[in-house]
Amino acid sequence: MASSKIILTAICIASFYLSASLAFPGHHEGAYPVGNSGLSPDYYRHTCPQADEIVVSILKKAIAKEQRIAASLLRLLFHDCFVQGCDASVLLDDTEEVVSEKNAIPNKNSIRGFEVIDEIKAALEEACPHRVSCADTIALAARASTVLSGGPYWELPLGRRDSKTANMKLANKNLPPPNATLHRLVKFFQRQGLDKVDLVALSGSHTIGMARCVSFKQRLYNQHRDNKPDITLEKGFYYTLASTCPRTGGDNNLRPLEFVSPSKFDNSYYKLILEGKGLLNSDQVLWTGRDPEIADLVRSYAENESLFFEHYVNSIIKMGNTSPLVGSNGEIRKNCRRSSILTASRKADKMAIPGSASKPY
C-alpha cells in the first residue's frame, strides 16, 4: 500500500513537471537525449519491473535510520558522472588492476553510502540476477533520495552498463573543490557538457546534506591567504560557523549545507545565498561571482521553487546521460565494488598455474 502511494504521488508530480516544462519551453532544448544516449525509462520494464520499488523500499529504511544518507547517495551520482561518465567507476575498490577513485582527493574520507548501494544491489540481484547495472543503481538511488526528501520526480533514462576500471587521476582533475571560484566552476561543468543553468540548478542539490568544517574553514580564517575571513559571509552566520569550526582542529565537525531545512529538498538553499549564508565558497560565489546570468538564476530559483525543480530535473537528466556505456560496452557487475570480468580473469590465471587449481572434491 505504501509503495502504491509513492508511485501514485510520483506520477502526479511527474505530470505537474511535464506541464511546467510546456509552460517554460525555453530551457535546454534537447535536454532529454534519451534516443542519442541509448538509454530509456522503460529499459527494465520486462527484465526487472520491480527495480525502482526495491530501491525505494531499502532507501526508506536507510533514510529513516540516517537522514543524511539521501544527500550522500545523490552526491555519489555527481562524483560518478563527472569521472569518465556515469559508469559506476566510483564504486570500485582497490585491486591489483584497479586504482580506486575513492582515494582521490575530492573523495577520500568524504563520499559515502557504499554500504546502502551494496544492500540495494544485493536485493536487485536476488530479484533479477545480472540485470540491473551498478551505474543504474546509483541513478535510481539518487532519484529516490531526492523524491523521498521532498524533491521532484523525473522519468529516469536507464540502460547504463558498468565500467571495468576506475580513473583516480581524472577524479582529481574533474571534481570541483568546495573552494572553487565561479570561473573554475563554470569550466568544470563545461568539461562535462553542462552549461551555466545546469551549474546553478544542480548546485541546488546542496539543499540537503552536511559538510565537514575542512570544506569551508578557509572562508572563516584565511580566505585570501591573509588570515582574514571571507567578507561575503554574513556576520551572524560567520560567528555561528566559527563556534562549530575553530581555527585549530575540528576539521571533521559537521554543519548542514543549508540550515533552514537541511533534510528537505526545497529552494531554501538559494534564499540563504542571497543573504550571504551559503556554506561553501562554491555556493556563495553563484551570487557574488559577478556573473549576471548566474546571479539572475539564483534569484529566480529563490523566488520560484517550481522553476528550480523544473530546471533541476532537466539538468540532472542531462548530467545522467554523460557518456554512458551501453550495448556491449562495459559489463554488469554482480558486486559493485569489483569488476566481474577482472575477477573471472584472475580465477582463470590461477587455474592455469601448475598446482594452483582447486581440487575437484
Side-chain angles (χ1 to χ4, degrees):
M1 181 64 72
S3 297
S4 299
K5 289 182 179 179
I6 291 173
I7 294 170
L8 288 173
T9 301
I11 291 172
C12 292
I13 295 172
S15 298
F16 171 80
Y17 286 106
L18 177 59
S19 300
S21 66
L22 294 174
F24 298 93
H27 172 56
H28 283 334
E29 185 175 351
Y32 298 83
V34 179
N36 293 335
S37 66
L39 306 180
S40 167
D42 297 326
Y43 188 81
Y44 296 112
R45 172 171 287 185
H46 301 296
T47 58
C48 194
Q50 67 271 51
D52 189 52
E53 185 178 351
I54 290 170
V55 173
V56 171
S57 175
I58 293 173
L59 275 185
K60 285 181 70 176
K61 296 176 184 177
I63 293 172
K65 184 177 180 181
E66 183 194 7
Q67 188 69 47
R68 183 187 173 197
I69 202 66
S72 298
L73 295 175
L74 181 55
R75 188 170 180 234
L76 270 183
L77 179 66
F78 283 76
H79 283 235
D80 183 36
C81 292
F82 269 59
V83 181
Q84 69 181 26
C86 309
D87 61 0
S89 62
V90 71
L91 300 180
L92 289 170
D93 286 340
D94 276 326
T95 66
E96 293 179 4
E97 299 88 357
V98 173
V99 178
S100 176
E101 293 169 18
K102 295 176 183 179
N103 295 318
I105 294 171
N107 290 336
K108 193 171 185 178
N109 300 320
S110 178
I111 54 171
R112 56 198 299 277
F114 301 112
E115 293 79 8
V116 178
I117 293 293
D118 291 341
E119 184 179 355
I120 294 171
K121 177 61 173 173
L124 289 170
E125 282 296 313
E126 183 176 355
C128 317
H130 205 64
R131 294 295 184 182
V132 183
S133 68
C134 298
D136 278 347
T137 301
I138 294 175
L140 285 163
R143 180 180 65 178
S145 294
T146 302
V147 173
L148 291 172
S149 300
Y153 174 90
W154 61 93
E155 287 292 330
L156 178 60
L158 297 165
R160 302 165 188 82
R161 289 169 64 85
D162 302 324
S163 65
K164 302 172 187 177
T165 187
N167 194 326
M168 186 170 73
K169 182 177 180 180
L170 207 58
N172 282 321
K173 177 182 177 182
N174 281 2
L175 295 171
N179 63 345
T181 63
L182 185 58
H183 175 74
R184 288 187 68 201
L185 285 173
V186 171
K187 293 295 184 184
F188 276 115
F189 275 69
Q190 285 179 341
R191 195 178 293 163
Q192 304 304 321
L194 302 172
D195 59 25
K196 291 180 179 180
V197 178
D198 301 318
L199 165 60
V200 183
L202 293 174
S203 293
S205 298
H206 286 178
T207 186
I208 57 174
M210 310 285 284
R212 296 184 301 153
C213 286
V214 69
S215 301
F216 57 87
K217 186 179 282 191
Q218 172 185 321
R219 298 188 69 202
L220 303 179
Y221 304 111
N222 194 24
Q223 175 70 340
H224 299 293
R225 299 182 181 179
D226 55 3
N227 292 317
K228 295 180 181 180
D230 182 353
I231 60 173
T232 68
L233 268 172
E234 192 272 334
K235 287 186 178 180
F237 188 49
Y238 164 78
Y239 288 118
T240 298
L241 296 179
S243 68
T244 303
C245 304
R247 183 182 290 269
T248 303
D251 284 358
N252 290 322
N253 293 347
L254 295 172
R255 283 287 307 179
L257 285 159
E258 178 266 281
F259 64 85
V260 171
S261 52
S263 61
K264 182 180 180 183
F265 198 102
D266 58 21
N267 67 335
S268 296
Y269 167 82
Y270 300 101
K271 295 177 181 179
L272 290 174
I273 288 176
L274 296 182
E275 298 173 6
K277 298 175 182 178
L279 184 66
L280 306 180
N281 189 76
S282 57
D283 297 325
Q284 195 60 47
V285 293
L286 297 177
W287 179 244
T288 61
R290 299 181 181 179
D291 185 306
E293 179 185 353
I294 288 177
D296 186 59
L297 286 165
V298 172
R299 185 187 298 107
S300 296
Y301 296 162
E303 295 172 351
N304 188 339
E305 185 175 78
S306 295
L307 182 65
F308 161 47
F309 280 9
E310 177 210 342
H311 284 194
Y312 186 86
V313 164
N314 289 346
S315 294
I316 201 165
I317 291 173
K318 182 178 176 182
M319 183 188 73
N321 286 348
T322 303
S323 304
L325 297 172
V326 295
S328 60
N329 295 318
E331 62 173 323
I332 297 177
R333 297 181 215 142
K334 182 176 181 179
N335 178 345
C336 288
R337 295 173 181 264
R338 293 183 179 274
S339 168
S340 305
I341 293 174
L342 291 176
T343 300
S345 176
R346 283 197 300 273
K347 287 182 179 179
D349 289 343
K350 185 177 180 181
M351 293 291 289
I353 299 173
S356 69
S358 300
K359 294 181 179 179
Y361 300 105

